[in-house]
Amino acid sequence: MRISLTKSLVVLAVLSSVDARPWPELQWAEYLDEPASAGEVQAKGVKEVKIPKAEIPVTTVRVSKSTVQIPAPPKVTPDPADLGRTNPELDRYGRVTKDPFPTGDPFKLGKPSPVAPGDRTAYDSPSTVNNAPLAKRTASPEVGSAQMKRQFDGGVFSDLFSTPISTASPPAIFSTRSNHPVPRLSIPEKDKPFQTNKFYSNMYLDNQDRPVFTYPYSVWYSKGNVLFSNGTREPFGLSMSHVDQSQRKFGPTGSVGSGSTGAIESYLNTLWIRSLNLGAIEFDSATASRTMELTSLRPMSVDVNFYVNKALDARKKMHTPLCLGMGFISTEYSGLTPQIESSIFFRSISLVPSTNLNVVKYKVTLEDGKFWVIYAHADPTVVQVPFILTVINNGKLKAAGPFSGIVQIAKIGTTENAQVEAVLDKTTGGVCTGAAVTAQTDGGSVASYHINYTRYKGTGPLLMFALPHHYNSFTDSTKAARYDIYQLTSLSKGMMIAVVADEWHMREDSMPTKIGWMPVKSGAAPVFAADSLTQLASVARAEIAQDFDAQSNLEELYFAGKALGKFAYLCLTSHFVLSDRTLTSTCLTKLEKAYSLFTTAKNKNMLVYEYGWRGLVTDAVYKTGNPAADFGSGYYNDHHFHYSYFIHAAAVIAFLDAPAQGFGTGKWLTANKDWVNTLVRDVANPSASDPYFPVSRSFDYWHGHSWAKGLFESLDGKDEESSSEDANFAYAMKMWGYASGQPLVEARGNLMLAILRRAINTYMLISPPTSPHPTNPNPWEIHPTQFNPNRVSGILFENKVHHVTYFGAEPKHIQGIHMLPLSPISPYIRSAAFAQDEWTAFFSGNIGNINDGWKGVLYQNVALLTPHESWKFFAQSDFRSEWLDGGASRAWALAFAGMLGGA
């Protein structure tokens, strides 16, 4: 019987389990299409190809139409180090352990200068402050109405991402550095911007073998260097895992941060459970000089290439694209002999008749009882031996010879499921290689955005997995592509559902286009009593008398930005609530002067542009050599947090300095627009045509929120500690776009806020199940029931959720970091029902002994549920300055509460 080597070959064989027999002695059940000629076979040297010999007894049985190899029970105990580990500790590498407050009493810093009485020193009657259009307070009605109409109505755009903010080099005022302290390991590409905050960072940082969380799977670079205690060695290649809910580890109850709620402090997933590893026999050869390289580093994908010896033959490799949400882990082999290994061990491996005649299919049962599937798609242009896997030992399968084509692996589940297998059979062959976001707005509050996946080879439709915030916003066409029968648990974000589609279409109906400079109150416009206005004016004058320069020219840019943000809100309060032109003018003049320290590079630690990864970083990291300087921002931590304050302050200056407001001529915007835009580009560049910054460094359009961790290796992946500061960046970007006449920047800010509102209220803010947030109908189904009484996530990692902060473990820290800064966007993100539930659970009657800046943060948040109580707290005659975050304004707290009806 002649072997048929074909362009589409399906091989079903009765395999020998003990001896190695030549191919002609096997019983082929099926072979199709144009057989290769004898000359072709001989030319390829496949005349006497032998099946690899098993090292242990293997029983081969025929079950229905499947051929099943069953290895003898394992005699070797797996090394515990190769069966996974957990990381219950908080990884503080690159983090600092101090409150996010500037230090010192702001009234005693520098040289305060008394502010003369303004236009109104007493208020004889109440004042109504309209929520819209607020610019009419100080602008001519014609100009004010025109400006506010565009802001409040949004804009009509067919593509929010095609046009870069700029393609010019950063302004010359930013000094440059030729490289960065963190090397770009395994990245051969040069002279372009690289992603720093995306899911695959662990593959190019430090050891390079920490997990990469693609959701629902985790994968990692297995370097083949570790020798385990049982005498086995870790394989070389790409290892993979999927952790079920039953495998999660729970933290303790009774922590300080969880208070009396009874909630667990954390939950986490076991790392490095090597369910399967994709490798090749050639990686273990004597001539191997194996390496791994990363190419095409995009926001939602990366290509991983494993070479046997690139210098000798760069064609012999495994090419593995990783995409967020990918349903298959796919590898393209080029002339290598596949070797698939498992630290869990194989219980059985079945060669299954495939419904697709061009595909070889194996179903694998591991010793933990989990079911996986392996598909092989041979390259039809290469004459090669059929893809046949043989059990070598309990932990290793080998193919019969070199293979060129695609191998795909997916998990079926904890039980056999014919319907799930049918989905996998239908979709195998589709390989995701990347994704891009597009979006449109309709001129109002509605936006449509899309994740458009790209494919590599194969004709199968793409199988991807969606998170709850995705499928809760799907349009009807994408809902129809859901396969609810196939669900896998995510690592920290609830259940994922399979979607078979190359494009996902999502819709947000509530973009905050009508939210501007001041908070928006529903119902009647807020009324400030006369004595309330008098008190507010007194507080505002005292704060405006502070030394703006001394408070903002600090070692840490984060604290500097918070100070500028505080003064910006003071200016808005003077302008919109007090209608005091003299006070506003004084505030604006001082704010412009303080801001100029940064735009002229005269502040203590300047921003510099570095050409290693390409971005703006604090000069402190070069001066000190300390990766944790300025909260690790030199290594790209927290850029969206830090720069949000600078961008919002710039928006306020540009708005008030515009001729329409009567305080300036607009020259400030002309002189400083490029400087501020550079900050926006660093965090939220929309286009790959900008050669100086990566696309969307911080915000992750797939996960729906930003990641704060930059160039720091992390066992549990990227993380986000402050949902409110994430929203603050998008709000600042929106307002800067408006004030600077860049409607696309404004529109992207609105879109980001709408996506954030949904994602934050799905994963970080846990509303009561009786009053769910409108964007998340099932708030207690995302995290384990034992965790939900915490009300907030604390730090949301890719692989765990830990109700704590990097700087403190008390409820004021953990809940409070999701509150600050108080801004007009706060009520949009944090619903009154959520704020009330959180307050009742943690703070009602329990804050009498809090006597630091967190007290002010908590009472600013009270304005979202009972504005009058918030006003009373900040208006009390014995108010103490230590109750304020040094980057917060008491006048703004009063104005905010009053704008929501508390005055």
Side-chain angles (χ1 to χ4, degrees):
M1 182 179 197
R2 184 167 71 82
I3 303 175
S4 184
L5 301 176
T6 71
K7 292 186 177 180
S8 54
L9 179 63
V10 176
V11 185
L12 304 176
V14 179
L15 299 177
S16 169
S17 61
V18 179
D19 62 340
R21 291 184 285 176
W23 287 91
E25 294 181 22
L26 296 177
Q27 302 173 30
W28 300 111
E30 219 177 322
Y31 49 94
L32 308 168
D33 297 341
E34 312 168 13
S37 67
E40 289 176 315
V41 174
Q42 293 171 0
K44 291 293 180 180
V46 239
K47 189 174 182 180
E48 290 291 320
V49 178
K50 294 185 177 181
I51 295 176
K53 185 176 181 179
E55 299 170 354
I56 61 172
V58 179
T59 302
T60 301
V61 298
R62 189 85 172 181
V63 179
S64 184
K65 295 182 179 181
S66 300
T67 301
V68 185
Q69 300 176 69
I70 305 173
K75 295 181 178 179
V76 177
T77 302
D79 189 306
D82 201 26
L83 292 178
R85 56 167 287 193
T86 56
N87 179 38
E89 301 302 319
L90 189 62
D91 184 357
R92 299 182 185 275
Y93 179 41
R95 294 293 184 178
V96 295
T97 56
K98 58 182 176 182
D99 281 354
F101 302 155
T103 57
D105 186 341
F107 288 96
K108 298 177 181 178
L109 289 176
K111 298 178 180 179
S113 54
V115 178
D119 299 340
R120 299 170 64 177
T121 57
Y123 295 83
D124 299 324
S125 61
S127 175
T128 300
V129 181
N130 294 317
N131 286 315
L134 294 176
K136 289 183 179 178
R137 295 281 301 203
T138 54
S140 63
E142 296 80 11
V143 175
S145 297
Q147 288 182 336
M148 290 296 110
K149 181 178 181 180
R150 182 181 64 74
Q151 176 192 350
F152 289 145
D153 290 345
V156 179
F157 298 103
S158 60
D159 188 349
L160 296 187
F161 297 98
S162 61
T163 305
I165 298 170
S166 173
T167 58
S169 61
I173 195 65
F174 295 108
S175 62
T176 60
R177 299 292 184 272
S178 61
N179 219 320
H180 189 274
V182 176
R184 300 184 304 278
L185 300 178
S186 300
I187 301 176
E189 297 170 299
K190 298 179 180 179
D191 302 324
K192 60 186 296 185
F194 295 100
Q195 295 289 348
T196 55
N197 293 54
K198 299 308 180 188
F199 70 100
Y200 47 79
S201 293
N202 275 338
M203 278 191 162
Y204 58 63
L205 293 172
D206 297 338
N207 293 311
Q208 298 184 263
D209 61 353
R210 284 0 183 202
V212 164
F213 304 99
T214 63
Y215 274 61
Y217 301 107
S218 63
V219 300
W220 64 95
Y221 173 27
S222 183
K223 302 169 77 172
N225 296 333
V226 178
L227 182 65
F228 296 115
S229 60
N230 61 8
T232 62
R233 183 178 293 276
E234 70 167 341
F236 181 88
L238 187 78
S239 292
M240 65 198 71
S241 175
H242 175 265
V243 178
D244 292 301
Q245 290 183 4
S246 60
Q247 295 172 281
R248 285 175 173 165
K249 308 298 182 183
F250 290 166
T253 58
S255 68
V256 173
S258 296
S260 60
T261 64
I264 57 174
E265 180 183 315
S266 61
Y267 70 92
L268 55 157
N269 300 287
T270 304
L271 302 160
W272 286 315
I273 300 176
R274 198 188 317 272
S275 294
L276 295 168
N277 181 86
L278 280 166
I281 295 173
E282 290 79 2
F283 289 135
D284 297 328
S285 68
T287 59
S289 179
R290 54 200 188 188
T291 54
M292 181 276 289
E293 288 185 352
L294 302 172
T295 55
S296 302
L297 285 72
R298 303 187 182 101
M300 302 184 202
S301 66
V302 66
D303 287 352
V304 189
N305 302 284
F306 300 90
Y307 295 94
V308 176
N309 190 323
K310 187 178 182 183
L312 291 180
D313 190 347
R315 295 170 300 175
K316 291 187 178 298
K317 65 178 181 177
M318 282 171 42
H319 168 68
T320 304
L322 301 180
C323 284
L324 284 171
M326 61 186 186
F328 289 102
I329 299 166
S330 307
T331 291
E332 182 185 24
Y333 284 87
S334 297
L336 299 180
T337 307
Q339 180 168 273
I340 299 175
E341 299 179 64
S342 173
S343 297
I344 307 300
F345 291 165
F346 297 102
R347 182 175 295 172
S348 67
I349 170 173
S350 304
L351 179 61
V352 181
S354 173
T355 57
N356 185 334
L357 297 181
N358 299 319
V359 181
V360 176
K361 175 185 176 182
Y362 285 92
K363 186 160 63 176
V364 171
T365 308
L366 300 181
E367 286 291 353
D368 60 2
K370 310 293 174 62
F371 295 87
W372 295 71
V373 66
I374 303 170
Y375 296 95
H377 301 253
D379 184 340
T381 67
V382 178
V383 178
Q384 56 187 314
V385 301
F387 184 89
I388 295 294
L389 292 175
T390 299
V391 172
I392 302 302
N393 56 42
N394 297 99
K396 184 180 296 184
L397 311 175
K398 284 185 180 181
F403 177 74
S404 292
I406 294 172
V407 174
Q408 293 186 297
I409 295 179
K411 182 179 178 180
I412 297 172
T414 56
T415 59
E416 294 196 72
N417 190 315
Q419 290 176 291
V420 169
E421 281 193 65
V423 175
L424 292 166
D425 290 346
K426 171 184 176 180
T427 55
T428 183
V431 180
C432 174
T433 59
V437 177
T438 57
Q440 301 82 39
T441 56
D442 70 349
S445 61
V446 176
S448 300
Y449 75 104
H450 323 276
I451 298 178
N452 307 305
Y453 294 101
T454 54
R455 61 172 59 252
Y456 182 51
K457 293 180 180 178
T459 57
L462 284 182
L463 171 67
M464 308 299 290
F465 278 92
L467 288 167
H469 83 279
H470 293 137
Y471 50 76
N472 284 336
S473 60
F474 278 164
T475 62
D476 290 343
S477 63
T478 309
K479 287 178 183 177
R482 283 176 44 166
Y483 282 76
D484 288 13
I485 189 63
Y486 191 14
Q487 299 187 26
L488 291 175
T489 188
S490 74
L491 295 151
S492 62
K493 292 182 173 177
M495 291 302 297
M496 303 186 74
I497 296 177
V499 181
V500 179
D502 290 4
E503 297 179 355
W504 292 359
H505 304 286
M506 288 154 285
R507 176 184 169 105
E508 292 294 348
D509 293 328
S510 301
M511 286 197 306
T513 52
K514 294 183 185 249
I515 297 175
W517 299 109
M518 302 296 284
V520 176
K521 175 183 177 294
S522 60
V527 177
F528 285 76
D531 58 346
S532 296
L533 286 171
T534 299
Q535 182 177 17
L536 175 57
S538 175
V539 172
R541 280 197 298 274
E543 290 189 325
I544 291 174
Q546 294 173 7
D547 189 329
F548 286 25
D549 291 1
Q551 288 190 47
S552 57
N553 190 13
L554 304 174
E555 296 288 342
E556 292 98 343
L557 285 169
Y558 175 61
F559 291 147
K562 289 194 68 170
L564 293 173
K566 171 178 74 171
F567 297 130
Y569 279 118
L570 268 173
C571 295
L572 291 174
T573 299
S574 300
H575 180 54
F576 284 128
V577 181
L578 298 175
S579 295
D580 189 324
R581 295 190 58 78
T582 300
L583 198 58
T584 304
S585 179
T586 300
C587 183
L588 177 61
T589 299
K590 295 180 70 172
L591 179 57
E592 287 178 343
K593 181 175 178 293
Y595 207 101
S596 70
L597 292 171
F598 302 90
T599 58
T600 59
K602 294 177 181 177
N603 60 300
K604 290 184 178 179
N605 283 316
M606 303 176 297
L607 285 171
V608 298
Y609 181 83
E610 61 86 14
Y611 279 91
W613 297 91
R614 296 211 172 189
L616 287 181
V617 297
T618 173
D619 199 28
V621 72
Y622 292 96
K623 292 177 180 177
T624 67
N626 178 13
D630 202 358
F631 298 89
S633 66
Y635 278 40
Y636 290 99
N637 278 2
D638 302 347
H639 278 205
H640 57 313
F641 297 164
H642 296 199
Y643 297 169
S644 67
Y645 296 98
F646 285 90
I647 294 166
H648 178 259
V652 172
I653 296 172
F655 172 70
L656 293 176
D657 186 65
Q661 308 309 318
F663 297 106
T665 62
K667 290 183 178 179
W668 191 92
L669 176 61
T670 302
N672 297 284
K673 182 177 180 180
D674 289 345
W675 192 94
V676 181
N677 270 347
T678 305
L679 271 63
V680 179
R681 290 165 67 190
D682 179 83
V683 177
N685 165 37
S687 170
S689 61
D690 184 340
Y692 291 95
F693 298 95
V695 173
S696 192
R697 183 192 306 282
S698 299
F699 191 76
D700 189 323
Y701 280 94
W702 193 86
H703 276 283
H705 59 84
S706 300
W707 294 112
K709 189 182 292 291
L711 296 174
F712 292 96
E713 181 184 63
S714 174
L715 282 170
D716 291 303
K718 300 301 181 186
D719 69 71
E720 175 93 315
E721 184 179 36
S722 176
S723 60
S724 47
E725 286 185 300
D726 194 351
N728 193 55
F729 176 85
Y731 172 67
M733 179 173 154
K734 157 192 166 75
M735 299 313 296
W736 169 248
Y738 165 67
S740 62
Q742 299 178 93
L744 275 171
V745 173
E746 179 186 358
R748 284 193 297 272
N750 278 321
L751 174 64
M752 288 166 64
L753 284 166
I755 298 172
L756 274 167
R757 179 174 181 248
R758 183 180 298 275
I760 287 172
N761 282 283
T762 303
Y763 310 122
M764 301 185 212
L765 306 184
I766 307 170
S767 293
T770 54
S771 302
H773 194 273
T775 62
N776 179 22
N778 302 300
W780 278 46
E781 293 182 7
I782 304 301
H783 303 297
T785 301
Q786 303 95 313
F787 184 85
N788 289 324
N790 286 316
R791 270 67 176 191
V792 301
S793 58
I795 306 176
L796 177 71
F797 291 84
E798 290 178 288
N799 186 59
K800 71 180 178 184
V801 186
H802 200 160
H803 190 249
V804 73
T805 73
Y806 286 112
F807 53 85
E810 298 178 44
K812 66 179 183 181
H813 303 126
I814 307 168
Q815 314 301 126
I817 197 62
H818 289 274
M819 300 175 185
L820 61 80
L822 185 73
S823 81
I825 212 65
S826 298
Y828 174 76
I829 300 293
R830 298 171 60 85
S831 70
F834 166 79
Q836 180 66 69
D837 182 60
E838 179 187 47
W839 178 262
T840 301
F842 284 98
F843 302 115
S844 181
N846 293 322
I847 64 172
N849 59 351
I850 299 177
N851 286 303
D852 55 16
W854 290 107
K855 192 162 196 166
V857 170
L858 298 177
Y859 270 103
Q860 285 178 324
N861 179 71
V862 168
L864 305 183
L865 51 130
T866 49
H868 182 64
E869 289 301 315
S870 179
W871 174 277
K872 280 174 56 180
F873 173 78
F874 288 102
Q876 60 185 292
S877 58
D878 56 351
F879 185 86
R880 293 157 54 180
S881 60
E882 59 262 34
W883 291 342
L884 271 181
D885 163 8
S889 161
R890 182 186 175 197
W892 171 245
L894 287 166
F896 189 95
M899 288 296 295
L900 294 181

